[in-house]
Amino acid sequence: MPPNTKIEVRRSSRRRRTVSAYRDGDKTVVLVPATFSRAEEQRWVDRMLERLEAREERRRPDDDALHARARDLADRYLDGRARPATVRWVDNQRARWGSCTPENRSIRLSKRLAGMPAWVVDYVLVHELVHLLIPHHGAEFWELVHRYPKAERARGYLEGVSAAARTDPGGPEAAELDDDVEDLHPDESADLAAHGRPAADLHPADDAGMGGS
């Protein structure tokens, strides 16, 4: 777990048999039954943190894989014309999900995107690949972007979660995609959070060490 990660435990009297956890910006929220003892709470917090970290590690592609993914998208949807020199994940991109520098043909994606749905990541990649060919957001730009068949779905997804985030002033920050106004909730699994479901669930009764709780 990152050293600056905050943990918030929320007890619920309506929760009987499940423990859930999800990322909320730099905070991890763990939802537990109100009937848990403090020892049970701590044990399940530790376990859920391990599960989240393992899931994030499995879903976090490296730069080589991301570059290969971008080249494949360029071949499939842009006739191979957009050839990035580098495509990499970055930690310091707090205000944008993706950006590119046409001069050196580099593309950068925020690591916060790594756990998002693959079709959303592909959309961001296509968006930035098209910027290697067209620097502005005119009609020609969007014509190429919409060669990606899930472009509208991805845009609607981003706009919908952004609108939800804006209604919660205390919620996690949003980020822009390049120079557009498209935002995305930086939750570890926004596709689940957008539907009101946590990122990881575990049934305590399935664990042999849980006892009768």
Side-chain angles (χ1 to χ4, degrees), residues 73 76-78 122-123 125-130 134 137-156 159 180 182:
L73 289 167
R76 291 163 61 190
Y77 303 114
L78 302 173
D122 285 350
Y123 167 71
L125 283 171
V126 170
H127 186 113
E128 303 308 333
L129 285 165
V130 175
I134 302 173
H137 291 102
E140 185 181 8
F141 171 86
W142 289 112
E143 181 179 352
L144 290 179
V145 169
H146 281 88
R147 289 186 178 184
Y148 177 60
K150 294 184 179 179
E152 280 300 323
R153 179 185 176 193
R155 283 173 60 83
E159 291 168 358
D180 266 347
E182 304 167 33

Side-chain angles (χ1 to χ4, degrees), residues 37-54:
S37 68
R38 292 301 176 186
E40 288 172 331
E41 174 186 303
Q42 186 59 55
R43 181 158 65 88
W44 283 97
V45 166
D46 292 343
R47 181 162 184 175
M48 296 309 288
L49 290 175
E50 290 176 1
R51 286 171 60 89
L52 279 177
E53 290 164 13

